[in-house]
């Protein structure tokens, strides 16, 4: 392994780019309804409808304990906690090598003192902080990482083995059917404070994925669900009654469907914590959550769209990361601090391209006014989408995103261009006596139905008659994957904060869902000039995987080329990027969260002044 201090092989944490939103195993398509806080699996069986007026921590008596609201949780075992409700708590209990600070980019050190990467960008060597202790008093060692990461790959309880086996892709052996051979990950504890592993191929965003909770560390052998370990406790106990980590807060209690609590760990290796603990009231019903917050039982919270008034929301500024900062005048008379962040997603209208002529697809693009949809339909809880890449991930950030769209988007930037829609249809031979009938299939959603109805009314003037059908999300996906559809609504939630994580969904060569795993559901014909441009651009991205400046620039330029190819052929039509909003009372001092979502923000520096 090379360990020279060249720019190509040695990097500080501040040069490392962002972190994954939910881990590669959770990335994928989603239906999308009303933009709210990050999805917290509120469809679980918890039916608590308490209005929250009396239960939980009362805001006036909570002292120095941070009061929050959570949804139904599933597990506190980092390899099993795949939902955001559980991850919000594991973020506070566990630490890993790296951390995406406040849920944003770039990732920085947490338990690592330093690290180096070999000249071929395959072997990573992490030097651990010495003297760091778990909540049970044991010291954190490199052997613990070997154990914890093997659990991520091999435990039957792991919900995210692909994060380490496919995304980060640590070299390992597989059986003939592609199953992981336990104990073959190429990683080792060189000594107590040196952890080393080797990838099967370079991956520029490896450190982003490794900053996720799935890669957190805990004492070696604490659970005996992989080969070679009997376990100090059974996995169920670790996951629900006694999770032991090295994070800023240690576990106190979790009553399923009711509440969870953690307390400040006095011997934490980092700064803080500044609050004595965190209490989550678990409330499934959105209206009950809102009432609980309005009674000032919660210090920070989301407001459901049904209770949200756009006229009460004022955006004072948008920072360089595309984060909106402002105020919200609440029902209870309080002026709340508000933060809105475009997260790692994009919502779009997809097409079965061979079934829908290009002029029809272009007419929809002309008729679509993304800005109006974001403002009026989604109450400014979304930003207009013109690229698949979210604004804070686009090369150059939100300003460059908007500039490129304003100067180059061919279908009308922040406007409806019905004349352009009619013209492209007329040039293709359509007219009053030769209209096109378009079948639209969408997820069951009042907001998407509003979008569909608006488009249908506009397209009537462009010789297109649109039939709207709603279906359960599972049915929609089944039909999309079978290509039994013309136009449809979907979303992609991406696994790391880099352009390639978005534009891989614009690769025509992986767009036929009838031919194995795909990245987009379009069956994009490969014989168009735009398709070839996109395919070649993706090849440049794959052939330049290193985390140096040269390869990064090549990947960024290729990503923009793929966005423009999608504009040309309208393989899918970007509509909006969801904004996660969070509100808090003025006695809370908390940093703004980043594109990864608020549930990934550690609260070691959050303070209260009641």
């Amino acid at each position: 392994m090379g360990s020279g201090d060249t720019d190509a092989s040695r990097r500080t944490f501040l040069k490392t780019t962002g972190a994954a939103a939910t881990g590669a195993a959770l990335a994928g398509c989603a239906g999308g309804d009303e933009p709210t806080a990050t999805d917290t699996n509120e469809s679980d069986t918890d039916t608590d409808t308490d209005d929250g007026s009396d239960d939980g921590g009362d805001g006036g008596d909570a002292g120095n304990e941070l009061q929050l609201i959570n949804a139904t949780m599933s597990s506190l075992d980092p390899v099993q906690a795949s939902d955001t409700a559980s991850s919000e708590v594991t973020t506070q209990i566990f630490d890993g090598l790296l951390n995406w600070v406040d849920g944003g980019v770039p990732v920085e050190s947490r338990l690592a003192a330093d690290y180096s990467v070999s000249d071929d960008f395959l072997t990573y060597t992490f030097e651990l902080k010495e003297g760091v202790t778990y909540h049970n008093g044991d010291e954190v060692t490199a052997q613990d990482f070997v154990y914890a990461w093997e659990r991520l790959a091999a435990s039957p309880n792991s919900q995210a083995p692909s994060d380490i086996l496919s995304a980060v892709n640590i070299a390992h052996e597989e059986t003939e059917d592609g199953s992981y051979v336990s104990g073959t990950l190429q990683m080792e504890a060189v000594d107590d404070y040196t952890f080393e592993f080797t990838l099967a191929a370079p991956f520029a965003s490896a450190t982003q994925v490794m900053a996720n909770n799935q890669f957190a560390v805990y004492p070696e052998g604490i659970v005996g669900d992989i080969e070679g370990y009997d376990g100090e406790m059974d996995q169920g106990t670790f996951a629900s009654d006694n999770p032991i980590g090295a994070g800023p807060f240690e576990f106190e209690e979790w009553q399923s469907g009711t509440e969870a609590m953690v307390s400040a760990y006095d011997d934490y290796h980092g700064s803080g914590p500044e609050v004595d603990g965190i209490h989550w009231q678990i409330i499934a019903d959105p209206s009950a959550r809102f009432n609980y917050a309005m009674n000032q039982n919660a210090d920070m919270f989301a407001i459901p769209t049904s209770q949200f008034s756009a006229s009460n929301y004022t955006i004072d500024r948008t920072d360089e990361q595309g984060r909106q900062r402002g105020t919200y005048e609440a029902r209870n008379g309080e002026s709340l601090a508000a933060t809105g962040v475009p997260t790692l997603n994009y919502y779009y209208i997809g097409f079965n391209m061979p079934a829908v002529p290009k002029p029809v697809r272009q007419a929809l693009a002309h008729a679509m006014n993304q800005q109006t949809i974001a403002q009026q339909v989604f109450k400014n809880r979304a930003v207009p989408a013109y690229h698949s890449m979210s604004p804070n991930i686009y090369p150059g950030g939100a300003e460059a995103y908007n500039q490129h769209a304003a100067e180059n988007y061919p279908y009308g930037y922040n406007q409806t261009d019905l004349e352009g829609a009619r013209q492209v249809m007329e040039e293709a031979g359509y007219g009053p006596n030769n209209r096109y009938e378009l079948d639209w299939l969408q997820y069951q959603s009042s907001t998407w139905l509003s979008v569909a109805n608006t488009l249908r009314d506009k397209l009537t003037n462009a010789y297109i008659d649109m039939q709207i059908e709603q279906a359960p999300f599972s049915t929609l996906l089944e039909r999309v994957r079978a290509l039994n559809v013309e136009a449809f609504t979907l979303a992609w939630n991406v696994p790391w904060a880099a352009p390639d994580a978005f534009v891989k969904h614009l690769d025509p060569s992986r767009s036929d869902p009838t031919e194995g795993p795909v990245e987009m559901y379009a069956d994009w014909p490969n014989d168009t000039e735009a398709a070839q441009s996109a395919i070649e651009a993706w090849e440049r991205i794959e052939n330049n995987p290193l985390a140096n400046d040269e390869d990064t620039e090549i990947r960024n330029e290729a990503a923009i080329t793929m966005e423009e190819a999608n504009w040309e052929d309208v393989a899918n039509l970007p509509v909006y990027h969801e904004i996660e909003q969070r509100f808090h009372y003025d006695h809370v001092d908390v940093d703004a969260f980043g594109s990864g979502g608020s549930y990934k923000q550690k609260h070691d520096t959050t303070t209260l002044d009641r």
Side-chain angles (χ1 to χ4, degrees):
M1 181 200 108
S3 58
D5 292 330
T6 65
D7 289 341
S9 63
R10 191 85 168 174
R11 302 186 306 284
T12 65
F13 296 109
L14 289 175
K15 288 184 179 179
T16 312
T17 56
T22 55
L26 295 182
C29 56
D33 192 351
E34 299 176 347
T36 57
T38 302
D39 175 25
T40 51
N41 287 351
E42 290 183 7
S43 61
D44 287 345
T45 55
D46 188 338
T47 56
D48 183 359
T49 56
D50 186 353
D51 69 3
S53 58
D54 298 312
D55 293 339
D58 181 86
D61 300 324
N64 197 39
E65 184 179 71
L66 182 64
Q67 301 293 319
L68 302 176
I69 305 173
N70 209 347
T72 304
M73 296 159 52
S74 63
S75 174
L76 295 179
D77 181 345
V79 305
Q80 190 180 43
S82 59
D83 58 283
T84 55
S86 300
S87 296
E88 182 172 335
V89 181
T90 60
T91 294
Q92 313 305 328
I93 297 173
F94 297 92
D95 272 355
L97 292 171
L98 305 165
N99 172 57
W100 38 300
V101 180
D102 294 319
V105 296
V107 299
E108 296 181 0
S109 168
R110 205 69 182 186
L111 291 176
D114 197 6
Y115 81 104
S116 63
V117 184
S118 60
D119 292 337
D120 59 6
F121 287 87
L122 293 177
T123 300
Y124 288 66
T125 304
F126 281 85
E127 303 296 334
L128 305 183
K129 293 181 180 179
E130 298 185 21
V132 176
T133 59
Y134 294 109
H135 304 149
N136 66 356
D138 293 348
E139 186 178 13
V140 176
T141 68
Q143 290 83 356
D144 298 331
F145 277 97
V146 172
Y147 164 75
W149 287 24
E150 177 66 20
R151 282 196 73 234
L152 178 59
S155 168
N157 297 297
S158 177
Q159 297 297 307
S162 63
D163 283 21
I164 193 168
L165 299 174
S166 299
V168 175
N169 195 12
I170 293 180
H172 60 277
E173 296 179 14
E174 295 182 349
T175 61
E176 290 185 0
D177 65 359
S179 300
Y180 169 61
V181 177
S182 297
T184 64
L185 284 172
Q186 290 192 25
M187 60 181 180
E188 65 171 326
V190 178
D191 56 44
D192 286 348
Y193 306 110
T194 306
F195 176 51
E196 185 172 283
F197 55 89
T198 300
L199 309 186
F203 176 38
S205 299
T207 52
Q208 299 180 29
V209 182
M210 289 187 293
N212 286 332
N213 286 359
Q214 296 93 310
F215 290 83
V217 72
Y218 32 85
E220 181 183 12
I222 197 165
V223 176
D225 58 355
I226 58 174
E227 290 183 15
Y229 295 96
D230 295 329
E232 299 176 19
M233 65 181 80
D234 62 68
Q235 189 272 341
T237 299
F238 179 67
S240 59
D241 297 322
N242 194 21
I244 296 174
F249 295 90
E250 56 185 319
F251 176 79
E252 290 290 338
E253 184 178 4
W254 171 24
Q255 296 182 28
S256 181
T258 303
E259 64 182 353
M261 290 178 283
V262 296
S263 61
Y265 181 48
D266 293 336
D267 293 327
Y268 184 55
H269 64 92
S271 61
E274 302 297 332
V275 296
D276 294 338
I278 305 174
H279 172 268
W280 290 269
Q281 191 72 20
I282 299 174
I283 307 174
D285 181 72
S287 294
R289 287 176 170 221
F290 181 65
N291 291 334
Y292 186 86
M294 289 300 96
N295 288 327
Q296 300 192 44
N297 290 318
D299 298 310
M300 293 192 297
F301 45 88
I303 297 177
T305 299
S306 59
Q307 304 285 351
F308 180 79
S309 173
S311 61
N312 291 2
Y313 181 43
T314 301
I315 300 173
D316 297 325
R317 64 185 179 91
T318 301
D319 65 21
E320 66 281 356
Q321 297 184 44
R323 301 180 300 189
Q324 300 171 350
R325 311 296 295 277
T327 56
Y328 185 82
E329 302 307 318
R331 184 186 70 184
N332 61 8
E334 295 288 332
S335 183
L336 307 173
T339 301
V341 182
T343 49
L344 301 177
N345 65 75
Y346 77 107
Y347 290 73
Y348 66 93
I349 299 168
F351 299 98
N352 175 354
M353 294 177 70
V356 182
K358 180 177 177 180
V360 176
R361 305 194 304 266
Q362 291 177 313
L364 259 74
H366 279 295
M368 172 73 68
N369 186 331
Q370 287 91 331
Q371 184 180 59
T372 297
I373 290 171
Q375 291 177 344
Q376 296 183 8
V377 178
F378 294 113
K379 301 182 180 181
N380 279 324
R381 312 192 91 182
V383 294
Y386 292 96
H387 309 86
S388 67
M389 290 181 276
S390 61
N392 43 1
I393 300 304
Y394 188 89
E399 184 176 352
Y401 177 108
N402 292 325
Q403 181 178 351
H404 181 251
E407 295 177 354
N408 298 283
Y409 187 67
Y411 306 108
Y413 177 72
N414 287 346
Q415 67 180 31
T416 296
D417 181 15
L418 286 181
E419 180 59 36
R422 282 191 294 269
Q423 181 177 343
V424 72
M425 290 293 286
E426 288 172 354
E427 290 175 351
Y430 295 96
N433 300 318
N434 182 28
R435 303 178 65 84
Y436 185 86
E437 293 187 3
L438 176 69
D439 292 329
W440 166 291
L441 179 64
Q442 68 166 67
Y443 176 73
Q444 291 171 319
S445 157
S446 59
T447 46
W448 268 114
L449 184 59
S450 178
V451 173
N453 286 329
T454 301
L455 267 179
R456 180 182 60 187
D457 294 343
K458 292 178 179 179
L459 291 171
T460 298
N461 298 312
Y463 320 116
I464 298 174
D465 298 319
M466 194 168 87
Q467 307 300 318
I468 301 170
E469 179 183 357
Q470 296 193 80
F473 184 58
S474 58
T475 301
L476 181 147
L477 269 185
E478 181 180 344
R479 289 181 56 182
V480 167
R481 289 167 175 164
L483 294 177
N484 181 23
V485 66
E486 286 191 332
F488 53 90
T489 61
L490 271 181
W492 283 104
N493 298 306
V494 305
W496 59 86
D500 57 294
F502 288 84
V503 299
K504 68 178 182 176
H505 301 302
L506 302 179
D507 178 11
S509 67
R510 293 184 290 178
S511 67
D512 184 353
T514 66
E515 295 186 357
V518 297
E519 291 293 351
M520 69 182 304
Y521 304 108
D523 195 12
W524 191 342
N526 292 352
D527 57 357
T528 71
E529 183 177 343
Q532 285 303 309
S533 175
I535 291 170
E536 292 169 3
W538 181 250
E539 289 175 350
R540 290 196 297 277
I541 290 174
E542 289 189 312
N543 293 334
N544 293 275
L546 304 184
N548 57 29
D549 291 342
E550 180 181 358
D551 280 22
T552 299
E553 183 177 357
I554 292 172
R555 291 195 302 274
N556 287 347
E557 291 177 353
I560 294 172
T561 296
M562 295 180 73
E563 298 277 13
E564 292 175 342
N566 182 55
W567 287 352
E568 171 61 31
D569 277 6
V570 198
N572 65 60
L573 177 58
V575 180
Y576 70 91
H577 301 288
E578 182 180 2
I579 292 178
E580 180 190 352
Q581 290 178 334
R582 185 177 69 188
F583 305 86
H584 64 81
Y585 291 105
D586 61 8
H587 62 264
V588 182
D589 186 359
V590 60
D591 292 332
F593 61 94
S595 60
S598 64
Y599 77 100
K600 296 289 294 200
Q601 181 180 44
K602 294 182 185 293
H603 287 299
D604 49 332
T605 61
T606 299
T607 60
L608 300 172
D609 184 17
R610 298 189 192 279

